[in-house]
């Protein structure tokens, strides 16, 4: 240091001069107050923090390399005419200091120290907030990845145990008399149910009702019941936080955070962040629970709208097939039902219909029509009366949709199967004779739900053993496809296909029609498709197969 002035000695910032070997050359008054042992002639490593002594060693070593490089070419100074400054930062006396070196021509280095405590605290706070923001982002991503309630609760416990505490316990709202409990600690997750009393855990009963959490300092860890502590936990619990999991309108549960004795207790900042995390987790769990409830309701309602599985009823074979307009849906505007007669001699009523439109709205009206027709089963002997009543219920309803349908009363009398068919705006049923001939039933009528009055003409048809009556919706005949992609399947192709089905059982007829229509459409858009086959069974069996083997008949 060429000169030491009074102003340098009394500078408010601590400063001292150290030679290249680490010996203290000069010290100002502020540095003496900060490092009482630092005097001229002392070694820096003995009187200063290690981080400062190390910084001096690195700086002087770098200066020597610049002055005498291995290649023999001294390094050039930077654009400002000086070499890069190697500042250092470290703690001393409970505060944080930044040390800035200034080299001299003789190899000595003057160190200036600035109090950097506030800046360091601000940087630490910013780093902490960034880490918490990243954690909340990760939590949202993992929690929203699943709409399964149990999975959301497991992820909540795992994330809380990884980032907020030594262990985390998620308590679900009471179901019956029991609470589901998910605990996570040290990478392990366990689940069980308990009949615990939430009032035994301070703040838990309130958290399960959605009230704000109580401060952790009010909770005595020693008073926790055994079910709160996860399996494998060793040692006493040091501090506890109980916070609610807010849901959509109703609480989604509660989150209990545990830290071991000896670890840092939960601070007010920790509790506040725990509430932020719990808000994200509670929203995800609540959304998953709402989805689960709605899915259950949807499955229950859809079960009533799905087409029934048809079988042999009162001596007659029935088979049905349905394909919704969209592969992602199971219900639509086409429907069919078979209502068995009250006695084996009573006629069974078959209904096949097509509601205008497709999708869920059409399915809802379909369900209403099916329910209305089922309520009118005692009137099944009078098709016109049933159509008039159904038409009245649809015309006066708030729906603007209409429907077409065909009614078939089927009675087996000895070896004869008689049908009475009534169409209401629907394609007439097709009769497949054993000869391969395909006939249209002589029935026609107006659609239901559109006009104040409905008219229809019924037709009586007899089926010989092995003959089939096919009811179908226009989704079959109007299916567009083929080689050019826009041609309808049409009644001609349908009749030709049915002519090849003579003598086949009802299931085979339905599968054949559905297969041909699906092949014709390919992967193109189509309407709902429904087919019902009514087949008069054979009655006389071959004696060579003991008269019981299916498909071996003489008549």
């Amino acid at each position: 240091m060429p000169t030491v002035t009074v102003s340098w000695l009394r500078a408010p910032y601590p400063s001292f001069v150290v030679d290249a070997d680490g010996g203290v050359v000069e010290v100002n008054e502020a540095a003496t107050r900060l490092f009482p042992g630092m005097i001229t002639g002392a070694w820096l490593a003995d009187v200063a923090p290690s981080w400062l002594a190390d910084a001096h060693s690195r700086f002087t070593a770098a200066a020597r390399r610049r002055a005498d490089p291995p290649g023999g070419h001294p390094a050039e100074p930077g654009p400002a005419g000086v070499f890069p400054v190697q500042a250092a930062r470290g703690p001393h006396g409970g505060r944080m200091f930044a040390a800035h070196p200034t080299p001299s021509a003789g190899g000595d280095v003057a160190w200036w120290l600035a109090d950097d405590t506030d800046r360091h605290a601000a940087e630490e706070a910013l780093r902490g907030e960034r880490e918490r923001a990243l954690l909340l982002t990760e939590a949202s991503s993992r929690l929203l990845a699943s709409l399964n309630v149990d999975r959301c609760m497991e992820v909540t416990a795992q994330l809380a145990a990884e980032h907020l505490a030594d262990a985390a316990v998620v308590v679900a709202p009471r179901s019956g008399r029991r609470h589901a409990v998910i605990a996570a600690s040290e990478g392990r997750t366990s689940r069980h149910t308990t009949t615990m009393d939430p009032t035994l855990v301070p703040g838990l009963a309130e958290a399960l009702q959605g009230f704000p959490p109580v401060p952790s300092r009010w909770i005595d860890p020693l008073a926790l019941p055994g079910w709160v502590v996860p399996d494998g936990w060793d040692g006493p619990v040091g501090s506890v936080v109980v916070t609610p999991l807010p849901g959509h309108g109703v609480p989604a549960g509660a989150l209990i955070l545990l830290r071991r004795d000896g670890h840092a207790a939960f601070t007010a900042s920790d509790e506040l962040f725990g509430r932020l995390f719990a808000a994200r987790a509670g929203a995800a769990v609540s959304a998953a629970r709402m989805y689960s409830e709605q899915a259950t309701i949807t499955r229950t309602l859809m079960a009533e709208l799905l087409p029934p599985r048809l079988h042999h009823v009162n001596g007659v074979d029935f088979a049905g097939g349905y394909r919704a307009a969209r592969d992602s849906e199971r219900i639509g505007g086409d429907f069919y039902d078979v209502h068995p007669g009250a006695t084996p001699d009573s006629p069974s009523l078959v209904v096949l219909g097509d509601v205008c439109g497709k999708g869920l709205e059409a399915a809802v009206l379909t369900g209403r029509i099916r329910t209305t027709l089922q309520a009118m089963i005692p009137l099944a002997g009078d098709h016109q009366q049933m159509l008039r009543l159904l038409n009245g219920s649809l015309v006066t309803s708030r729906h603007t949709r209409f429907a077409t349908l065909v009614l078939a009363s089927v009675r087996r009398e000895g070896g004869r199967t008689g049908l009475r068919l009534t169409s209401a705006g629907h394609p007439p049923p097709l009769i497949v004779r054993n000869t391969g001939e395909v006939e249209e039933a002589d029935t026609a009528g107006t659609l239901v739900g559109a006009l104040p009055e409905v008219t229809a003409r019924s037709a009586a048809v007899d089926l010989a053993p092995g003959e089939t009556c096919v009811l179908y919706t226009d989704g079959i005949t109007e299916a567009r496809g083929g080689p050019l992609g826009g041609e309808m399947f049409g009644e001609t192709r349908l009749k030709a296909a049915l002519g090849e089905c003579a003598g086949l059982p009802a299931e085979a007829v339905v599968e054949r029609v559905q297969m041909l229509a699906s092949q014709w459409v390919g992967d193109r858009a189509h309407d709902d498709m429904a087919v019902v086959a009514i087949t008069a069974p054979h009655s006389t069996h071959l004696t060579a197969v003991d008269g019981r083997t299916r498909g071996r008949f003489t008549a």
Side-chain angles (χ1 to χ4, degrees):
M1 196 70 177
T3 58
V4 176
T5 64
V6 174
S7 60
W8 180 83
L9 291 173
R10 296 180 179 177
Y13 292 95
S15 179
F16 49 89
V17 180
V18 184
D19 61 23
D21 296 328
V24 178
V25 178
E26 294 288 345
V27 184
N28 73 356
E29 295 176 356
T32 303
R33 289 193 295 271
L34 185 63
F35 306 113
M38 184 177 288
I39 58 175
T40 301
W43 294 104
L44 182 63
D46 296 337
V47 297
S50 59
W51 63 268
L52 187 54
D54 293 340
H56 180 75
S57 298
R58 292 194 302 273
F59 185 82
T60 53
R64 283 195 291 269
R65 287 195 298 272
R66 287 194 298 270
D68 186 17
H73 300 287
E76 297 293 334
V82 297
F83 292 99
V85 176
Q86 299 179 9
R89 178 189 289 179
H92 180 70
R95 304 188 67 81
M96 184 65 65
F97 289 91
H100 302 273
T102 301
S104 67
D108 295 344
V109 181
W111 288 92
W112 291 85
L113 271 63
D115 192 336
D116 208 29
T117 303
D118 293 340
R119 177 184 173 184
H120 177 73
E123 291 178 348
E124 287 296 313
L126 179 60
R127 183 180 59 80
E129 290 301 320
R130 286 176 175 171
E131 291 178 351
R132 290 180 172 184
L134 289 175
L135 171 58
L136 291 178
T137 302
E138 179 190 358
S140 298
S141 177
R142 291 181 58 181
L143 288 168
L144 295 177
S146 173
L147 286 175
N148 182 279
V149 177
D150 293 340
R151 180 57 184 160
C152 283
M153 295 177 69
E154 285 184 7
V155 171
T156 299
Q158 292 169 356
L159 286 172
E162 292 172 7
H163 301 284
L164 305 181
D166 295 325
V169 180
V170 176
V171 182
R174 189 175 64 181
S175 177
R177 294 183 177 181
R178 306 181 71 85
H179 291 265
V181 177
I182 295 91
S185 176
E186 299 178 347
R188 298 188 300 271
T189 304
S190 62
R191 176 187 178 88
H192 67 279
T193 59
T194 178
T195 56
M196 55 85 176
D197 181 2
T199 59
L200 297 180
V201 180
L204 179 58
E206 292 80 3
L208 288 173
Q209 299 178 44
F211 290 105
V214 299
S216 63
R217 63 180 182 276
W218 293 5
I219 304 175
D220 181 9
L222 300 179
L224 293 178
W227 64 265
V228 176
V229 181
D231 296 336
W233 179 281
D234 55 343
V237 177
S239 56
V240 183
V241 166
V242 180
T243 185
L245 294 173
H248 299 294
V250 295
L255 175 64
I256 303 175
L257 302 177
L258 307 175
R259 282 184 179 171
R260 299 181 187 279
D261 189 17
H263 288 198
F266 291 103
T267 64
S269 177
D270 293 337
E271 294 179 23
L272 177 60
F273 183 70
R275 295 179 64 178
L276 293 176
F277 172 82
R280 303 284 183 100
V285 173
S286 182
R289 183 167 289 122
M290 292 177 62
Y291 173 79
S292 176
E293 293 173 354
Q294 292 179 356
T296 301
I297 294 173
T298 301
R299 284 195 298 271
T300 303
L301 295 177
M302 187 176 293
E304 295 297 323
L305 297 176
L306 290 175
R309 183 183 298 276
L310 304 186
H311 50 84
H312 187 82
V313 176
N314 289 346
V316 181
D317 292 333
F318 296 92
Y322 176 77
R323 180 182 179 184
R326 300 171 184 171
D327 293 338
S328 58
E329 296 178 348
R330 302 175 61 192
I331 56 177
D334 290 2
F335 65 96
Y336 58 79
D337 278 308
V338 174
H339 303 282
T343 64
D345 297 332
S346 301
S348 300
L349 179 65
V350 183
V351 181
L352 181 140
D354 181 2
V355 172
C356 173
K358 59 185 72 173
L360 183 59
E361 292 185 0
V364 171
L365 183 57
T366 295
R368 179 172 181 170
I369 293 176
R370 293 172 65 184
T371 303
T372 303
L373 290 173
Q374 187 171 16
M376 293 190 293
I377 291 300
L379 304 176
D382 189 345
H383 289 182
Q384 278 70 23
Q385 178 69 0
M386 291 185 70
L387 293 176
R388 281 194 295 271
L389 294 175
L390 177 62
N391 184 69
S393 67
L394 295 179
V395 170
T396 57
S397 72
R398 58 185 177 86
H399 295 285
T400 58
R401 297 176 182 272
F402 55 87
T404 66
L405 55 87
V406 58
L407 304 176
S409 293
V410 184
R411 184 197 299 270
R412 178 75 183 276
E413 293 181 338
R416 172 182 173 275
T417 300
L419 285 76
R420 188 159 55 85
L421 302 168
T422 304
S423 170
H426 204 81
L430 299 177
I431 312 302
V432 183
R433 300 299 184 185
N434 287 325
T435 60
E437 182 183 2
V438 179
E439 305 172 357
E440 283 189 5
D442 184 19
T443 176
T446 58
L447 47 82
V448 294
L451 301 173
E453 299 293 335
V454 59
T455 59
R457 182 179 72 253
S458 300
V461 174
D462 286 338
L463 297 180
E467 294 182 337
T468 299
C469 174
V470 178
L471 316 181
Y472 62 96
T473 59
D474 58 8
I476 298 291
T477 54
E478 296 180 0
R480 293 187 177 275
L484 301 179
E487 187 178 0
M488 290 196 299
F489 187 70
E491 294 182 4
T492 302
R493 288 189 179 85
L494 177 59
K495 291 179 179 178
L498 291 176
E500 299 173 353
C501 297
L504 294 180
E507 293 87 352
V509 175
V510 170
E511 291 180 4
R512 176 67 175 169
V513 172
Q514 284 191 307
M515 182 190 69
L516 293 176
S518 298
Q519 290 178 344
W520 185 261
V521 171
D523 57 356
R524 303 176 186 88
H526 60 85
D527 200 355
D528 299 325
M529 301 179 183
V531 183
V532 170
I534 307 169
T535 300
H538 294 277
S539 56
T540 304
H541 299 264
L542 284 172
T543 56
V545 290
D546 71 11
R548 298 181 182 275
T549 305
R550 187 178 177 84
R552 301 302 180 98
F553 306 96
T554 58

